[in-house]
Amino acid sequence: MNVIQEIEPLKVDKAANPTWWRGAVIYQIYPRSFQDSNGDGVGDLPGIIRRLDHIAGLGAEAIWISPFFTSPMLDFGYDVSDYRDVDPMFGTLADFDTLIARAHELGIKVLIDLVISHSSDQHDWFVESRASRSNAKADWYVWADAKSDGSPPNNWLSIFGGPAWEWDGKRMQYYLHNFLKEQPDLNLHNPDVQDALLDVVRFWLKRGVDGFRLDTINFYFHDQKLRDNPALPADARNATIAPAVNPYNWQEHLYDKNRPENLEFLRRFRAVLDEFPGAMAVGEVGDAQRGMEIQAQYSTGGDKVQMCYSFEFLSGATPSAAYFEEVLTRFEDGIGDGWACWAFSNHDVERYASRWSLSDAATRCYAALLLSLRGSICLYQGEELGLPEADVAFEDLQDPYGIQFWPEFKGRDGCRTPIPWVSDNQNGGFSAGRPWLPMASDHLGLSVDAQANKPESMLSFYRQMIAFRKSHPVLGQGAFTLLQAPDDQLRFIRQEGGTRMFCAFNLSGTPSKAELPPGTWTFCKDAPFAGMSQDLGPWQACFAIEEI
Ligand code: BGC
Ligand code: MG
């Protein structure tokens, strides 16, 4: 164990505006692939510090940094072996302090990724827990006896393939893991485990973080009776990731996650957050059947998390106007005083421009739509450059999920390749050494450097669209009313106070017309679409504003 140096909380303005996160644009950094500073081919915290200007220039209000904690890296940091330190690969705690200070100087809030549903099997807690059935931490993980025929206690499956149970010859018991067998599931039914995790939360809040992305928030508790999950009929298997090939998607996850006890734990978690005014959390809710219901449960009432991260737009099928209408209506009807966080891309799914086979113009239209939604928005690094999914050869694969299900499902490496900063360097300026995943050659031409000063570039488009969203807070926060529209067109009104904003998106390559409701509308000249009028060219958006 290292010596922990506690530092005074930094003074930032979040207490002055405790709801700063409502409607905010959050930029997700996958640290391994953002910027390397020491030539080892892996991105790191000093690299992030160096590139914070890029994020400030984009206009994002916050960053979410995927895990940089001490880890054997079997799931690339989502397997934490010390929650209170930085993995040497990424830097030091001092680097992290510098990162926060610099981000705050630039007005950027910092969210870190807490992975507390499971730890690494190398964590001291698990090492102790697995040593015997009687040690002080014997019950800190989910241990269960075999059935009389030696098979696992029930039918629960791991998302990464195979049973969710791994046999341990020392304890002569199985332990639960929802992901890799090296990611044993912490037993949050035990109050000591909760206390230890909440201490970790305090540790980072005292260091000055503004909040957390809570990994797999709905996996914190399991059914203590260990009941079998029921089978899901084939036509109901609608998971976002690997729906067809992964048998995890053949079950209804009633008992291995989504348990009611979580609500009480989230209240305890919130009480800790509230010790630090303005601190917030966004919970990642992965559940194909009950995602929306759980997001509402966790984010309503002001006593659990502030918002939940939605999977609704992370799936494979290109979302039609009808799909947006259905999802957004369902959310408006169900979310109450809760709050959603929307994303099209992240480090777990194919980049959306490729996933939905979008042209450049279509990508812009979808980006404008995302940045017009009520809720907070997560953009994934490289999205602002319009990066397509990288083609990663089998021999270069790193992701155990992809290696398991190859080639039917290629895993998550294609969205995790390094960010191209400059075009005239084979590693795109990402690293002086060999990158841990190859730089995609078709990404080089899309580098930050190549796009930064071109008014017509995707990067300029994102900058303008984010600036547009920020200068019209009605887009992030205003009430949402869906309007009737022809097929392939999505139309809605946003309203806050006396401001109404009309938004229409032509999600097709055929011209159509946006019919504005009665009112005194002015077309928004500050939105990044040329010649804005009711006449929608292919993949064009229209914004008009009315002060009433
Ligand atoms: C993260 C994944 C990770 C998993 C297990 C997720 O939902 O986003 O990258 O593999 O949790 O921690
Ligand atoms: Mg490095």
Side-chain angles (χ1 to χ4, degrees):
M1 279 300 257
N2 57 312
V3 181
I4 308 304
Q5 203 194 335
E6 302 246 334
I7 58 163
E8 281 301 301
L10 292 164
K11 290 184 183 50
V12 283
D13 67 345
K14 59 181 184 288
N17 178 17
T19 56
W20 62 267
W21 45 270
R22 282 175 80 92
V25 175
I26 303 168
Y27 185 91
Q28 182 193 352
I29 296 177
Y30 193 69
R32 294 184 78 84
S33 306
F34 196 56
Q35 173 70 61
D36 178 25
S37 70
N38 61 354
D40 66 353
V42 178
D44 42 45
L45 299 184
I48 296 177
I49 296 167
R50 186 176 147 205
R51 295 299 186 182
L52 283 173
D53 286 347
H54 169 70
I55 298 162
L58 188 62
E61 283 124 315
I63 49 175
W64 143 29
I65 314 176
S66 279
F68 50 79
F69 316 101
T70 316
S71 164
M73 303 288 167
L74 292 175
D75 192 20
F76 300 103
Y78 284 91
D79 47 329
V80 179
S81 56
D82 184 350
Y83 287 106
R84 296 169 185 244
D85 207 352
V86 173
D87 193 278
M89 176 182 279
F90 292 130
T92 63
L93 277 173
D95 292 330
F96 184 70
D97 294 339
T98 308
L99 193 163
I100 293 206
R102 179 70 189 132
H104 286 167
E105 270 168 29
L106 292 168
I108 299 171
K109 306 275 196 299
V110 178
L111 313 183
I112 61 169
D113 203 329
L114 264 197
V115 191
I116 54 175
S117 187
H118 44 265
S119 73
S120 157
D121 64 346
Q122 303 302 307
H123 196 292
D124 288 348
W125 297 342
F126 189 70
V127 173
E128 188 175 343
S129 187
R130 88 186 316 178
S132 71
R133 292 193 191 197
S134 56
N135 70 77
K137 296 202 169 48
D139 189 36
W140 277 43
Y141 292 81
V142 184
W143 293 97
D145 293 334
K147 283 185 177 167
S148 57
D149 63 0
S151 61
N154 63 23
N155 71 351
W156 299 351
L157 295 171
S158 154
I159 293 185
F160 291 160
W165 296 98
E166 180 69 11
W167 179 249
D168 185 90
K170 183 117 192 252
R171 277 186 61 144
M172 294 291 284
Q173 280 184 311
Y174 284 99
Y175 67 85
L176 179 67
H177 59 94
N178 289 298
F179 297 88
L180 294 174
K181 66 177 171 36
E182 294 85 359
Q183 291 168 298
D185 205 62
L186 278 153
N187 179 19
L188 274 88
H189 289 285
N190 181 331
D192 295 341
V193 173
Q194 294 189 12
D195 292 345
L197 294 172
L198 295 176
D199 278 347
V200 169
V201 171
R202 273 195 200 89
F203 171 84
W204 290 103
L205 287 167
K206 284 186 189 158
R207 273 209 119 78
V209 303
D210 302 286
F212 303 94
R213 180 256 190 188
L214 296 176
D215 187 69
T216 59
I217 188 176
N218 54 324
F219 288 65
Y220 288 176
F221 287 79
H222 65 284
D223 175 42
Q224 286 181 296
K225 294 189 187 135
L226 302 182
R227 282 171 281 191
D228 278 342
N229 283 326
L232 198 61
D235 59 0
R237 294 172 196 162
N238 59 342
T240 308
I241 305 181
V245 297
N246 191 345
Y248 182 84
N249 302 325
W250 301 4
Q251 293 186 357
E252 193 178 351
H253 294 278
L254 291 184
Y255 297 116
D256 52 350
K257 58 183 181 183
N258 305 329
R259 303 303 301 160
E261 293 90 335
N262 204 15
L263 298 176
E264 212 34 60
F265 172 69
L266 294 179
R267 290 192 184 98
R268 291 197 67 199
F269 171 84
R270 177 59 176 266
V272 175
L273 271 191
D274 288 347
E275 293 168 18
F276 298 80
M280 57 74 70
V282 47
E284 182 209 22
V285 174
D287 189 86
Q289 275 67 50
R290 295 176 52 207
M292 148 70 212
E293 179 193 326
I294 293 163
Q295 287 191 58
Q297 265 182 23
Y298 290 4
S299 66
T300 47
D303 60 347
K304 296 172 287 296
V305 292
Q306 281 83 351
M307 58 183 176
C308 285
Y309 183 91
S310 168
F311 276 51
E312 311 294 325
F313 302 125
L314 295 174
S315 57
T318 314
S320 60
Y323 181 73
F324 278 102
E325 288 172 1
E326 185 271 314
V327 171
L328 298 173
T329 308
R330 189 152 43 88
F331 266 76
E332 287 308 313
D333 292 349
I335 199 78
D337 67 352
W339 197 251
C341 180
W342 305 107
F344 286 172
S345 286
N346 66 29
H347 65 296
D348 289 330
V349 295
E350 188 177 345
R351 288 182 177 278
Y352 82 89
S354 301
R355 196 166 81 240
W356 299 338
S357 309
L358 303 179
S359 64
D360 183 271
T363 304
R364 291 173 195 234
C365 191
Y366 275 97
L369 168 45
L370 175 64
L371 288 163
S372 304
L373 293 181
R374 177 170 188 264
S376 302
I377 306 300
C378 277
L379 299 180
Y380 176 54
Q381 64 182 38
E383 190 168 336
E384 77 280 22
L385 305 175
L387 295 187
E389 182 81 349
D391 208 3
V392 181
F394 181 73
E395 55 274 20
D396 290 325
L397 280 200
Q398 302 284 337
D399 182 15
Y401 198 6
I403 294 167
Q404 170 79 21
F405 288 105
W406 181 274
E408 282 72 24
F409 169 64
K410 294 185 175 173
R412 304 168 294 178
D413 289 321
C415 65
R416 295 177 176 182
T417 57
I419 291 300
W421 296 100
V422 297
S423 303
D424 58 358
N425 170 291
Q426 62 167 352
N427 292 339
F430 163 71
S431 174
R434 182 167 183 260
W436 75 284
L437 276 174
M439 169 64 61
S441 52
D442 58 339
H443 286 184
L444 285 178
L446 297 170
S447 72
V448 173
D449 189 47
Q451 298 198 40
N453 299 315
K454 293 210 178 91
E456 295 308 316
S457 70
M458 186 65 81
L459 177 56
S460 298
F461 177 85
Y462 266 89
R463 282 183 183 152
Q464 289 167 51
M465 194 58 216
I466 293 170
F468 179 64
R469 178 179 173 90
K470 282 166 72 176
S471 62
H472 300 284
V474 64
L475 283 175
Q477 306 194 32
F480 172 94
T481 310
L482 191 68
L483 299 176
Q484 290 292 325
D487 291 353
D488 293 337
Q489 201 189 110
L490 181 69
R491 259 184 224 165
F492 50 78
I493 297 260
R494 309 296 311 284
Q495 175 161 7
E496 193 180 33
T499 304
R500 297 212 304 162
M501 173 84 83
F502 169 87
C503 312
F505 305 88
N506 178 10
L507 298 181
S508 82
T510 317
S512 69
K513 209 171 183 76
E515 274 168 46
L516 280 76
T520 317
W521 297 100
T522 308
F523 290 109
C524 298
K525 297 271 183 308
D526 47 342
F529 288 88
M532 189 166 294
S533 78
Q534 276 180 276
D535 294 313
L536 293 175
W539 302 108
Q540 208 175 10
C542 163
F543 298 93
I545 199 159
E546 183 191 40
E547 299 294 343
I548 48 176

